[in-house]
Amino acid sequence: MYCFVLKMHIQAIAIADPVGIGLAPLYHISEMKKLLTIISLSALLFTSCSKDDDNILAESEGKATVSFDAMFGSQDFALNKGFTVGSNTLTFNKLRYWVSNVVLVNSKNEEFKVPSSYYLIEETNAINLTGVNNDLSTTVYPATKREDVVLKEIPAGDYKSIRFSIGVEQKYNDNLSLQTGELSQLNGMTNVSWMWLTSYIYTSLGGTITNGTTSKTLKVETGLNANYKTVTLDFPAAVRISSTKATNIVLNADISKAIDGLDVYSTNTVGGSQAAAMTTVATNYATKVFSVKSVK
């Protein structure tokens, strides 16, 4: 609007003095100074308007970093640290889970499905993979901590929610020769005994559980097509994603909620043979574990 008014003002000056300075002798010197000042300010404001227009035109696809901040109740999750639950002490040596098929929903309810979005979120000590990928004793998956994923080429817009799944859908779970994103058999997140074919482990939580002087191995895993679950989270307010700003979405992942409803001392192993317990854990991941911490 300001640009339009300035253009009209300059046009009026041009009509009054078509040759630029032809009327100069008719003006008092002070009036000429005023005119020159107006022209100078108009030039500066035109430059500003032009820059604003360039900024608007420059906004394009953006990216967002999604962080899965692992917690255990109100405490930061950490490996090799004891967490007390009732009379039990849980100490973890690994936390791993697949996040897949990420979708962002904008304020117009339009969905952006992030292509090939399959990510292994993990915090784990070194894992010996002997007998998993091969029989070599030197096959070791290194200690790893990964909480962040970067979503790219997101159409510019205001986004109000995020949706993602925990696990791997049937198309890829039933045929490990099909690979996309980060899906791979080489990271130890597959199992050969749950189905009639090798399939993915969707979530894996391992360590020890101690009660008094007695300790047991803790191994809580989910898988199988029926336990592929989807999480939907609304943001506190819509967040702008575009090429002109960095966007960060931080989610809480409360691992204590993953074992909610289980007596993990008596059921310290959860897998394909413990179908009811596995379903409970998978449902917990879908409905209790994740929440929005911050969006900016």
Side-chain angles (χ1 to χ4, degrees):
M1 181 64 183
Y2 293 122
C3 295
F4 175 76
V5 172
L6 287 169
K7 289 175 182 176
M8 295 297 292
H9 184 71
I10 295 298
Q11 288 172 354
I13 292 173
I15 292 171
D17 186 8
V19 295
I21 59 171
L23 296 179
L26 302 179
Y27 281 94
H28 189 275
I29 292 176
S30 63
E31 292 175 336
M32 283 299 297
K33 287 182 178 179
K34 290 180 183 179
L35 179 59
L36 291 173
T37 300
I38 291 172
I39 293 173
S40 297
L41 289 173
S42 299
L44 288 172
L45 288 172
F46 270 129
T47 301
S48 176
C49 292
S50 177
K51 288 182 178 178
D52 289 342
D53 291 342
D54 289 344
N55 288 337
I56 293 172
L57 294 173
E59 189 177 52
S60 59
E61 293 177 340
K63 64 181 180 179
T65 299
V66 182
S67 300
F68 295 83
D69 187 11
M71 306 288 291
F72 196 90
S74 60
Q75 303 177 68
D76 286 333
F77 179 88
L79 301 180
N80 311 312
K81 172 185 176 180
F83 296 96
T84 301
V85 180
S87 60
N88 300 317
T89 299
L90 286 71
T91 305
F92 301 102
N93 57 31
K94 68 175 176 178
L95 165 65
R96 314 179 81 193
Y97 56 93
W98 286 106
V99 170
S100 63
N101 295 303
V102 180
V103 178
L104 292 168
V105 183
N106 68 19
S107 57
K108 300 177 182 179
N109 290 319
E110 298 168 337
E111 296 186 348
F112 172 65
K113 298 179 180 180
V114 180
S116 302
S117 50
Y118 295 81
Y119 311 104
L120 182 57
I121 305 301
E122 58 185 336
E123 188 167 348
T124 179
N125 291 335
I127 303 172
N128 190 319
L129 297 180
T130 302
V132 177
N133 296 333
N134 54 55
D135 293 326
L136 298 176
S137 60
T138 55
T139 306
V140 175
Y141 187 86
T144 305
K145 181 175 181 178
R146 193 271 187 93
E147 295 182 322
D148 298 340
V149 299
V150 179
L151 312 180
K152 300 179 180 180
E153 299 179 352
I154 304 169
D158 298 313
Y159 289 85
K160 66 177 185 177
S161 64
I162 186 170
R163 186 170 72 243
F164 56 90
S165 296
I166 299 298
V168 180
E169 75 268 37
Q170 186 171 356
K171 173 184 176 180
Y172 295 104
N173 196 41
D174 286 359
N175 187 352
L176 271 62
S177 67
L178 299 176
Q179 295 187 4
T180 184
E182 297 178 8
L183 294 180
S184 171
Q185 300 181 54
L186 302 180
N187 48 38
M189 284 291 280
T190 58
N191 189 286
V192 298
S193 62
W194 290 349
M195 300 170 63
W196 58 273
L197 43 73
T198 301
S199 59
Y200 284 102
I201 298 170
Y202 294 170
T203 69
S204 181
L205 184 64
T208 60
I209 181 168
T210 303
N211 188 300
T213 59
T214 304
S215 293
K216 298 180 179 180
T217 298
L218 180 67
K219 185 178 182 180
V220 179
E221 296 182 334
T222 66
L224 307 177
N225 294 327
N227 291 318
Y228 173 74
K229 303 292 184 181
T230 298
V231 180
T232 300
L233 299 172
D234 293 328
F235 300 147
V239 61
R240 186 73 179 175
I241 299 178
S242 77
S243 59
T244 63
K245 66 182 292 288
T247 301
N248 295 282
I249 301 167
V250 182
L251 306 180
N252 280 327
D254 186 353
I255 306 307
S256 70
K257 299 294 186 182
I259 53 177
D260 198 29
L262 289 182
D263 181 349
V264 288
Y265 188 75
S266 60
T267 311
N268 57 302
T269 298
V270 175
S273 299
Q274 297 79 31
M278 182 186 279
T279 297
T280 296
V281 175
T283 302
N284 286 343
Y285 272 99
T287 60
K288 298 180 180 181
V289 170
F290 300 100
S291 61
V292 178
K293 182 176 183 179
S294 64
V295 179
K296 58 183 179 179

